[in-house]
Amino acid sequence: MSNVQKYGVFGDPIHHSLSPVMHNAAFSNLGIPAVYEAFLVKPGDLEHAVLKAKDDGFRGLNITIPHKESVLKFDFISPDPFSKMVGAANTLRFLPTGIEAFNTDAMGALLALESENCSTDGKNILVIGAGGASRSISFLFGQRQNPLKIINRTAEKAEKLAAEISGKTGNNVSAGGFSNLLDDVEWADIIIQTTELGMGKYESVSVFDQTESVDSDENLRNNLLKKYLTPNTVVFDIVYNPKETKFLKEARTAGAKTINGTMMLVYQGALAFELWTGQKPDVSVMKDAVLKALDAKQNEK
Ligand code: ATR
C-alpha cells in the first residue's frame, strides 16, 4: 500500500480552485508525503463521491460551492457544533470512527483580520450580503456577541438570516437593504463585503453603485465617502481575484484600511490542514503559492 496521504476538494465548478497549489505547497514544506487534488463533483453525485473517498483511504476533503450545505444532510457525517449551527461545512475529516465535518471559512475570515492587526472584540461589524459566504461569517460574529448588522440587495434575505442568528446566539442582530448604506458604513468599525460584486461579470461594480445616496461622479463620491469612512474603519472584501475590487479601491482612496480575501482563503485552508494532520502549516508558504498561482492566471488573460 502506498503511504502517500490523499486529500482533495469537491466542487462544481472546480477548475479555478487554488486549494491544490496551496495545500500541496504546505505538505511539501513540511515533508508530508501527500497529494491534494481537485475533483469535479456534480450535485447528485456528492454522497457517492464522499463514500468513495472514504473507501479509497482519503484523510480529508474540502467541500466547496455548491455542496457546503448539502454535505450536512448525510447521516454518516457528524458536524462539529459550529458547522451544525451554521448549517454549512467546508472541511471533512476521515477517521477510523467516522467522518467529521467542520466550517473553517468563518474562522479563516477572523484570522485574516487578526493577521492584519485588526482586533474584532466588541467592534461593530457590518456584513454586506446574505448568501452562503455571509452566513458563516455572520454566524461567527453573532456567536461572539459583536454588535452586528447584515445588509443585502434583497433586504428580506438579510432579515431572515439575522433572525436566525439572533435566535441561535442570543445576539440582537440587525438587518436591512442598501438604502441606509452610508449610515451603516459610518456605524461600522469593520465592514465585510461577501457578495460577488467586484468579481467576474460584476468586476466594474461596487456596493456603492447600488444606492442612490452615493454620487456616481468619482470626485464627489470620494469626498462623500471620506465623511463616512475613517482611517480606523477596516474594510475587508473576501474577494481575492481581482486583488483589489472596485469597492476596496474606493474605500482605500477614502482613507480606510483595506484587506482583500487572500488571507481568508489561506487561513481557512490552514485550519483544515491542521485538522487533518495535527500540524500547523506555514501560512506564508501557502500565501506565496496562492499569489504565484493568481499571477499566473493574470498572465494567461
Ligand atoms: P455566496 O455563496 O458566494 O455568498 P450566494 O449564496 O449565491 O453566493 O449569495 C450571493 C450574494 O451576492 C447575495 O447576498 C446576493 O444578493 P441577493 O440575495 O439580493 O441576490 C449578492 N449579489 C449577487 N449579485 C448581486 C448584485 N448584482 N448586486 C447586489 N448583490 C448581489
Side-chain angles (χ1 to χ4, degrees):
M1 215 174 87
S2 155
N3 64 354
V4 177
Q5 301 173 16
K6 290 188 218 169
Y7 299 90
V9 55
F10 287 180
D12 177 20
I14 199 63
H15 60 281
H16 288 306
S17 177
L18 295 172
S19 292
V21 289
M22 179 169 82
H23 283 284
N24 286 322
F27 283 123
S28 128
N29 178 249
L30 286 174
I32 298 174
V35 52
Y36 184 113
E37 288 178 273
F39 298 92
L40 175 69
V41 175
K42 298 275 173 199
D45 298 336
L46 182 63
E47 181 171 12
H48 174 75
V50 171
L51 290 171
K52 182 161 188 314
K54 177 176 173 273
D55 287 345
D56 288 347
F58 273 67
R59 299 237 186 158
L61 285 176
N62 283 126
I63 301 295
T64 189
I65 290 165
H67 305 308
K68 289 185 185 186
E69 297 182 15
S70 48
V71 76
L72 293 182
K73 289 194 190 122
F74 309 132
D75 58 7
F76 55 86
I77 290 179
S78 315
D80 82 323
F82 183 70
S83 64
K84 190 173 177 178
M85 179 171 71
V86 174
N90 72 326
T91 302
L92 298 183
R93 174 164 71 178
F94 295 82
L95 296 176
T97 45
I99 309 173
E100 299 172 333
F102 303 89
N103 181 321
T104 69
D105 285 329
M107 196 48 89
L110 182 71
L111 293 179
L113 285 164
E114 286 180 353
S115 74
E116 294 287 338
N117 294 321
C118 170
S119 83
T120 60
D121 285 348
K123 298 285 174 64
N124 291 355
I125 311 270
L126 176 69
V127 177
I128 301 171
S134 162
R135 199 177 163 81
S136 299
I137 293 172
S138 300
F139 257 103
L140 184 76
F141 288 109
Q143 191 188 39
R144 292 170 71 90
Q145 302 300 324
N146 282 87
L148 174 64
K149 181 162 188 181
I150 304 168
I151 58 173
N152 193 45
R153 171 179 60 179
T154 316
E156 300 78 52
K157 220 168 134 188
E159 281 155 13
K160 199 164 165 255
L161 180 58
E164 198 186 332
I165 298 174
S166 299
K168 288 189 184 173
T169 66
N171 195 340
N172 188 8
V173 183
S174 9
F178 291 151
S179 52
N180 296 319
L181 183 63
L182 289 175
D183 291 336
D184 292 336
V185 161
E186 188 175 35
W187 167 83
D189 298 309
I190 301 172
I191 300 168
I192 307 178
Q193 197 304 109
T194 71
T195 76
E196 325 160 41
L197 295 177
M199 66 187 288
K201 64 179 175 187
Y202 297 120
E203 188 147 355
S204 62
V205 188
S206 134
V207 181
F208 295 122
D209 293 316
Q210 305 264 313
T211 170
E212 283 170 8
S213 54
V214 180
D215 301 287
S216 55
D217 176 87
E218 210 172 300
N219 284 331
L220 289 175
R221 181 186 289 220
N222 187 30
N223 287 336
L224 182 69
L225 294 183
K226 270 188 186 150
K227 291 188 193 145
Y228 292 89
L229 285 163
T230 77
N232 292 325
T233 315
V234 173
V235 180
F236 176 29
D237 195 323
I238 71 164
V239 172
Y240 53 83
N241 189 15
K243 284 181 190 152
E244 186 175 59
T245 58
K246 183 180 176 194
F247 175 65
L248 220 50
K249 185 174 176 197
E250 288 174 336
R252 177 173 57 77
T253 310
K257 180 174 163 57
T258 58
I259 303 174
N260 76 7
T262 310
M263 289 317 284
M264 174 176 166
L265 172 70
V266 169
Y267 278 111
Q268 65 73 32
L271 291 165
F273 188 100
E274 203 177 334
L275 284 165
W276 298 327
T277 65
Q279 295 191 58
K280 271 194 194 301
D282 185 335
V283 287
S284 66
V285 166
M286 297 173 86
K287 181 185 179 188
D288 288 349
V290 165
L291 292 179
K292 210 170 138 197
L294 283 173
D295 283 345
K297 274 185 203 276
Q298 209 58 43
N299 294 334
E300 271 169 29
K301 276 190 184 170

